Amino acid sequence: MVAPATLRVVRCGGSTLHGARAVFSADSYLLCASGDFVKMYSVATEETLRVMGGHADLVTGIQLNPHNHMQLYSSSVDGTIKLWDFMDGIPIKTFTVGSKLLALYALASSEDSVFVVIPKSGERDTFQLVSVKLTKAAGQDLEAKELSVVLDGVDASPKHIAFGREGEYVASVKEVNLQVYFFKQKQLNRFSVSAMKTKSGNNHFTCIACHPVEDCIATGHADGKIRLWRNFYHKKEYTFSTLHWHHDTVMDLAFSIEGTSLLSGGVESVLVLWHNESDCQKDFLPRLGSAIEYISMSSDGALCCTLHTDNRITIINSNLRFSKSIQGLIKSTDVKTGLVVDPRTKALVLNGEPGHLQFYCLQSDQQLFSLDIVQRQYIHQAGLNQADLVKVAFSAQGKWLATVEEREEVTDPELQLKLWFYDEETQSFKLNTRINMPHDDHITDMCFRDMDELEDDSLILVTAGRDCVFKVWMMVEDTDPEAQQSVSWSCDFVGSYHNYQATNCCFSEDGSLLAVSFEETVTVWDSVTWDLKCTFCHPPGKIRNICFGRLTCSKYLIGATDYGFLCCWNLLSCALEWSAHLNVLVLQPDPLSEHIAAVSWLSKESSLFVFKPNEPRPIYIQRNLCKEKIQLAAFVPRDEPEMIGSEKYLWLRRSQLFFLTDTQELMTLSTKSLEERLTPSSKQLAVEESLPVTPFSLLLGKHRRQQLQEDIDLGKLVRSKHEQDSPAVKELLHTPAHVLPSASFLCPIFINSLLISKDNKSAEEVADEVEMESEKTEDDSDEERDVTEMEHEDTSPMELLGEMTHKLSKSQEKELRKIRKMDYSWVSAF
């Protein structure tokens, strides 16, 4: 039996990847802060290798341990600093500071301390840069209360503080002021720029970087200028030069390792490389997708990476050539499409880049691909009315995709309905039909008739609009000789009800009934004859969501109103079965069971109710699910049913519930611990996953595959010595030496793991013993020796090489035993 576990809300993806600067490890792994976690990516394969969880709140900074590059420091708003062995994802120590930590810096010159930004006690929106002494006492959970203030009145952003060469000074910018503190001299110099505003912006500081080998400070400004400060040891004799290319805010700066060049990025999505601090010598890497939030350099200078506002990581070579891109969940300004599940890939589908549809993989927390729906150039300028994607629907098997795009106009909205067909050859969607102005007003809802076995023959799409009608679209053969496809879509039926606006639509599980809500009324239609069968009305309030019950509850129809009622109607008796006073924002049925999830919003908290339509009492209630407002939800079918220990969580056995908050955090409900939730690939050692593919490894791998196949063909799998190693031996060989316990502790475990119990006998040996006893024959020492030799021959080198050896049958073995017992001593006389 599985022990009952509590159901917890966990961030499963979509967390901002630009919460802090990324860090390159010495082995070319990339470490990023992502929500409450630290993620480790392989630069070679772009795969997520580690998800390190342990912080109870947002991670605000990550830094390699300057004295051990196999370890990592991380800081969090939860007030703790953690030291990680990131190759194994093991937290070594946790230091509790006790105050919110908003940025983290680690210097090689400071052996036992790190620098953090914390709020100043007693004052609002005022922050300090402090030095935290990390005690070297034994134990895993330690307190770090010894703080010393370095700078007062700093900004909370980690981009507003930088340390100079060899940690001799620290520079901080805030608004129009720059302050530089020299540690040895204990001297503080302040500088300022004029606060006058220009057409392009103002002079406010936005970021800072220090030259690695010279006394030079680079600052970025809101008007797009970069200033290079020198001679700042003197308060009045300082100098600065100006570089200018960006037309808007400079969002981050980074010097190369040698300091010969400077990198800058901003809202233009262009990485600029300034050579020799000259305005005339610069190179560009354009079209990086979205605004550059952070720039990081690898320790050897061979790579740099940019973190973008749309959750993208771009890895760039030193010659300013694009190398790789890691794309997380794009956070668009408004998810108008809702959360839709792709039946083929089980990916979440929703708004991505402007005019695009993103397919997001929940297992890897990365985007699978992006589909350009609008197919127009998006202009990043406020106030422009541009076409955007607003509705998405998949057919049951994922062969067809319907999208609606609209451009918001005051008088005449511009609408387009597009039908896309999945092409098996190109493994992507191709546009089949484009319908201009399918409705006279905005489309409010859209759905396919889900009939798996009859999808190609009787596929139907229904759209509902504010123009007071719903339309039925069907496939017809294309008679145009110049048409590239054999079928296209056209309108087959138009329905309405008392000139009310159509707001929602959905089909029953078998596809025989269509429910369309018209403001406060729900209508039910026959999907074959399009006759109106019945209507349900439960004022007050407009219908916000409707859905049919499934499986044993298919005779019920559920609706939620914007006045806070949840209603269940019986389709057989055409009467209200039950109703509940509940302000439901999200109503989501599970496609694989009778369960329906309803999310309510009350008193600034979201609550979850899971119920079956045939009984009004919920089977599960989770009050205060989260403080954020949940806007969307989706049930995603599991690849394999999950083992659930508690009966009240059985509704999660076949599907997993995901929901998106108004801050666009993607969350889920889980009964597993973090270690159990990690994907198998992330559990493996990162070293093994990122080994380079050499000709020798290819040859060895081919030989092993051939040997394995031959052994299987023989009906007997021969295991090598490496495969016979116990788990204890594997752990001993794979665990890094600096985290292993003492040898005296490991030695008995290691020795015991190598011992083989005498009682462990194979099935063949046991069968042979039973047969020998039944024959009641004597076992002399010679026969034992012979049998032992035969057993050794079974795993001879010849068989290991895959050569066929003849195996005797049971009757032949009996004859052989009889021959052994015969007396052949008389032959010696000859």
Side-chain angles (χ1 to χ4, degrees):
M1 284 294 292
V2 180
T6 57
L7 202 61
R8 300 184 321 280
V9 178
V10 293
R11 287 183 175 92
C12 58
S15 298
T16 304
L17 289 170
H18 55 82
R21 269 196 185 93
V23 172
F24 282 96
S25 74
D27 299 319
S28 292
Y29 300 116
L30 188 66
L31 297 138
C32 298
S34 177
D36 299 355
F37 306 106
V38 178
K39 292 184 178 178
M40 186 170 92
Y41 298 95
S42 167
V43 174
T45 64
E46 307 170 27
E47 187 182 1
T48 307
L49 302 179
R50 290 276 177 278
V51 179
M52 291 175 275
H55 284 293
D57 211 328
L58 212 62
V59 176
T60 55
I62 52 173
Q63 292 279 309
L64 287 179
N65 184 353
H67 309 289
N68 186 341
H69 290 296
M70 304 300 287
Q71 296 177 352
L72 180 85
Y73 286 113
S74 66
S75 65
S76 170
V77 179
D78 65 4
T80 63
I81 299 171
K82 287 185 179 289
L83 179 64
W84 302 86
D85 172 8
F86 60 82
M87 294 302 289
D88 281 342
I90 300 171
I92 301 171
K93 287 183 183 293
T94 300
F95 302 94
T96 303
V97 181
S99 181
K100 288 184 178 180
L101 309 180
L102 305 171
L104 174 70
Y105 310 90
L107 301 182
S109 56
S110 301
E111 286 191 16
D112 57 351
S113 62
V114 294
F115 297 88
V116 293
V117 175
I118 63 171
K120 190 174 182 179
S121 59
E123 296 186 30
R124 190 176 179 182
D125 296 331
T126 307
F127 306 95
Q128 296 175 315
L129 176 69
V130 300
S131 174
V132 181
K133 188 170 184 180
L134 303 179
T135 175
K136 293 185 177 180
Q140 193 170 3
D141 295 316
L142 306 169
E143 288 195 353
K145 301 294 185 182
E146 194 174 331
L147 310 178
S148 56
V149 178
V150 178
L151 277 178
D152 214 343
V154 301
D155 198 278
S157 171
K159 293 188 287 189
H160 288 222
I161 295 174
F163 287 82
R165 60 179 179 87
E166 298 177 1
E168 290 189 5
Y169 59 88
V170 58
S172 168
V173 292
K174 185 179 181 182
E175 296 177 350
V176 293
N177 300 309
L178 164 66
Q179 51 181 343
V180 184
Y181 179 75
F182 302 92
F183 288 101
K184 290 182 180 178
Q185 298 85 351
K186 296 185 178 180
Q187 175 187 348
L188 179 63
N189 291 349
R190 289 189 174 92
F191 312 96
S192 64
V193 294
S194 61
M196 70 177 214
K197 292 187 177 181
T198 62
K199 290 182 180 179
S200 59
N202 53 49
N203 288 335
H204 281 210
F205 291 95
T206 56
C207 54
I208 187 170
C210 292
H211 199 287
V213 293
E214 298 176 9
D215 291 330
C216 175
I217 298 173
T219 58
H221 298 261
D223 59 1
K225 292 181 180 178
I226 300 170
R227 287 183 170 89
L228 297 169
W229 303 74
R230 295 184 182 277
N231 206 27
F232 42 81
Y233 284 94
H234 308 285
K235 289 187 177 181
K236 295 184 179 180
E237 298 177 7
Y238 70 91
T239 61
F240 67 80
S241 57
T242 305
L243 307 175
H244 194 189
W245 178 86
H246 297 277
H247 83 277
D248 211 325
T249 304
V250 180
M251 298 184 74
D252 202 16
L253 295 167
F255 278 99
S256 63
I257 300 303
E258 302 85 4
T260 55
S261 57
L262 175 69
L263 291 163
S264 66
V267 297
E268 305 87 358
S269 308
V270 177
L271 185 65
V272 185
L273 178 66
W274 308 84
H275 296 281
N276 302 317
E277 301 162 14
S278 170
D279 205 1
C280 302
Q281 301 178 24
K282 53 184 177 288
D283 292 319
F284 305 95
L285 181 61
R287 294 185 289 277
L288 292 178
S290 65
I292 297 172
E293 188 78 28
Y294 286 96
I295 304 171
S296 302
M297 296 292 301
S298 64
S299 57
D300 58 0
L303 296 171
C304 82
C305 85
T306 54
L307 272 62
H308 299 258
T309 53
D310 68 347
N311 265 7
R312 178 187 285 114
I313 303 170
T314 305
I315 300 169
I316 300 159
N317 293 326
S318 57
N319 57 358
L320 216 62
R321 291 285 181 266
F322 174 86
S323 175
K324 289 180 176 62
S325 178
I326 301 169
Q327 176 68 72
L329 180 68
I330 295 177
K331 296 191 175 185
S332 56
T333 54
D334 189 11
V335 183
K336 299 175 183 177
T337 61
L339 287 184
V340 185
V341 180
D342 177 17
R344 289 179 173 272
T345 60
K346 302 296 186 294
L348 276 186
V349 180
L350 64 160
N351 287 103
E353 298 177 44
H356 287 67
L357 200 60
Q358 64 170 321
F359 289 69
Y360 171 75
C361 179
L362 293 159
Q363 285 73 30
S364 63
D365 187 21
Q366 291 182 25
Q367 187 184 108
L368 293 179
F369 62 95
S370 179
L371 183 63
D372 188 358
I373 301 295
V374 175
Q375 298 178 344
R376 297 182 194 173
Q377 184 67 36
Y378 185 84
I379 302 171
H380 294 269
Q381 184 174 336
L384 286 180
N385 288 333
Q386 302 181 72
D388 199 8
L389 184 64
V390 293
K391 298 293 175 188
V392 168
F394 283 93
S395 63
Q397 295 180 356
K399 292 182 180 179
W400 288 93
L401 166 67
T403 61
V404 175
E405 59 196 65
E406 67 178 34
R407 187 166 67 177
E408 186 73 43
E409 296 288 348
V410 178
T411 56
D412 188 18
E414 186 180 306
L415 300 171
Q416 273 198 353
L417 172 64
K418 292 179 179 177
L419 280 302
W420 307 74
F421 179 76
Y422 188 80
D423 189 354
E424 295 286 352
E425 291 183 4
T426 59
Q427 294 288 297
S428 64
F429 285 95
K430 284 188 175 181
L431 183 61
N432 176 271
T433 305
R434 179 190 286 110
I435 303 168
N436 288 315
M437 294 306 295
H439 286 257
D440 295 332
D441 206 339
H442 295 286
I443 293 176
T444 55
D445 203 2
M446 177 172 61
C447 63
F448 277 98
R449 182 164 70 176
D450 290 337
M451 299 176 69
D452 293 347
E453 67 278 0
L454 302 174
E455 183 179 3
D456 293 333
D457 299 326
S458 58
L459 192 61
I460 293 175
L461 175 70
V462 173
T463 56
R466 290 186 196 168
D467 56 354
C468 304
V469 299
F470 71 90
K471 292 187 177 182
V472 179
W473 307 85
M474 298 187 70
M475 278 191 294
V476 294
E477 291 187 7
D478 203 328
T479 56
D480 186 359
E482 296 182 0
Q484 295 181 354
Q485 62 268 352
S486 59
V487 296
S488 61
W489 291 74
S490 66
C491 184
D492 182 66
F493 178 78
V494 179
S496 63
Y497 182 78
H498 292 292
N499 207 31
Y500 293 146
Q501 287 187 354
T503 52
N504 297 277
C505 61
C506 65
F507 278 98
S508 60
E509 186 179 14
D510 62 356
S512 61
L513 297 176
L514 169 70
V516 183
S517 62
F518 290 89
E519 297 184 15
E520 296 182 359
T521 307
V522 180
T523 60
V524 181
W525 306 72
D526 189 319
S527 67
V528 178
T529 62
W530 299 116
D531 293 333
L532 179 61
K533 291 296 183 183
C534 63
T535 59
F536 300 115
C537 185
H538 187 74
K542 292 182 179 180
I543 302 296
R544 185 182 281 165
N545 294 300
I546 56 172
C547 68
F548 280 94
R550 292 178 178 271
L551 301 176
T552 60
C553 299
S554 58
K555 64 179 180 179
Y556 298 103
L557 177 65
I558 311 296
T561 69
D562 57 2
Y563 272 77
F565 281 96
L566 183 65
C567 308
C568 177
W569 294 283
N570 190 319
L571 295 168
L572 299 181
S573 62
C574 295
L576 180 68
E577 189 83 5
W578 54 265
S579 66
H581 191 59
L582 200 64
N583 182 31
V584 176
L585 295 183
V586 178
L587 192 66
Q588 188 65 38
D590 180 7
L592 300 180
S593 71
E594 298 93 344
H595 301 105
I596 297 176
V599 180
S600 69
W601 173 252
L602 186 66
S603 302
K604 295 185 178 180
E605 67 178 40
S606 295
S607 300
L608 173 67
F609 300 86
V610 181
F611 64 94
K612 289 183 179 182
N614 58 359
E615 49 186 85
R617 183 176 296 175
I619 61 171
Y620 178 77
I621 300 175
Q622 175 76 48
R623 303 276 183 185
N624 193 14
L625 188 68
C626 63
K627 294 296 182 184
E628 295 91 352
K629 196 173 187 178
I630 294 175
Q631 290 184 323
L632 303 165
F635 275 101
V636 179
R638 300 183 189 273
D639 294 331
E640 294 181 3
E642 188 169 307
M643 294 295 293
I644 303 292
S646 177
E647 287 188 9
K648 64 179 181 178
Y649 304 143
L650 285 176
W651 59 277
L652 283 171
R653 185 170 180 267
R654 301 189 65 186
S655 300
Q656 190 171 2
L657 179 62
F658 293 86
F659 45 89
L660 196 70
T661 65
D662 55 355
T663 57
Q664 297 200 23
E665 285 285 340
L666 187 65
M667 298 182 178
T668 188
L669 294 168
S670 176
T671 58
K672 291 184 175 183
S673 64
L674 175 71
E675 290 75 17
E676 291 176 305
R677 285 190 292 107
L678 296 183
T679 56
S681 60
S682 63
K683 288 181 181 178
Q684 299 172 12
L685 284 176
V687 178
E688 293 180 353
E689 292 187 353
S690 300
L691 285 175
V693 180
T694 61
F696 180 74
S697 68
L698 290 172
L699 182 64
L700 185 62
K702 184 179 179 181
H703 169 71
R704 285 176 176 170
R705 285 193 298 272
Q706 288 177 347
Q707 173 184 321
L708 186 65
Q709 186 60 44
E710 288 170 356
D711 290 337
I712 292 173
D713 292 340
L714 286 171
K716 184 173 182 179
L717 184 64
V718 183
R719 300 177 64 190
S720 64
K721 291 183 180 179
H722 177 71
E723 291 172 329
Q724 291 174 348
D725 288 343
S726 67
V729 178
K730 289 183 179 179
E731 289 296 325
L732 181 65
L733 296 176
H734 287 157
T735 306
H738 60 278
V739 295
L740 280 175
S742 63
S744 60
F745 175 79
L746 288 174
C747 190
I749 302 174
F750 179 71
I751 295 298
N752 288 331
S753 68
L754 297 177
L755 298 176
I756 301 172
S757 174
K758 290 183 178 180
D759 297 332
N760 294 339
K761 296 177 181 178
S762 66
E764 292 181 7
E765 290 174 331
V766 173
D768 286 342
E769 286 180 7
V770 172
E771 188 178 351
M772 293 286 283
E773 288 176 3
S774 65
E775 292 179 357
K776 297 181 180 179
T777 57
E778 293 183 358
D779 290 339
D780 53 12
S781 60
D782 293 337
E783 185 171 341
E784 284 183 3
R785 195 183 308 115
D786 293 338
V787 172
T788 306
E789 288 173 0
M790 286 182 64
E791 288 177 351
H792 282 305
E793 287 174 5
D794 284 346
T795 55
S796 65
M798 298 296 289
E799 185 173 354
L800 286 173
L801 289 172
E803 294 186 9
M804 181 73 76
T805 57
H806 184 68
K807 190 173 181 180
L808 299 176
S809 65
K810 294 288 183 182
S811 59
Q812 289 174 329
E813 287 181 358
K814 289 179 182 178
E815 291 294 330
L816 188 60
R817 290 191 189 105
K818 292 176 182 178
I819 294 172
R820 284 200 199 104
K821 295 185 181 81
M822 292 178 67
D823 186 10
Y824 296 104
S825 59
W826 57 272
V827 180
S828 60
F830 297 98

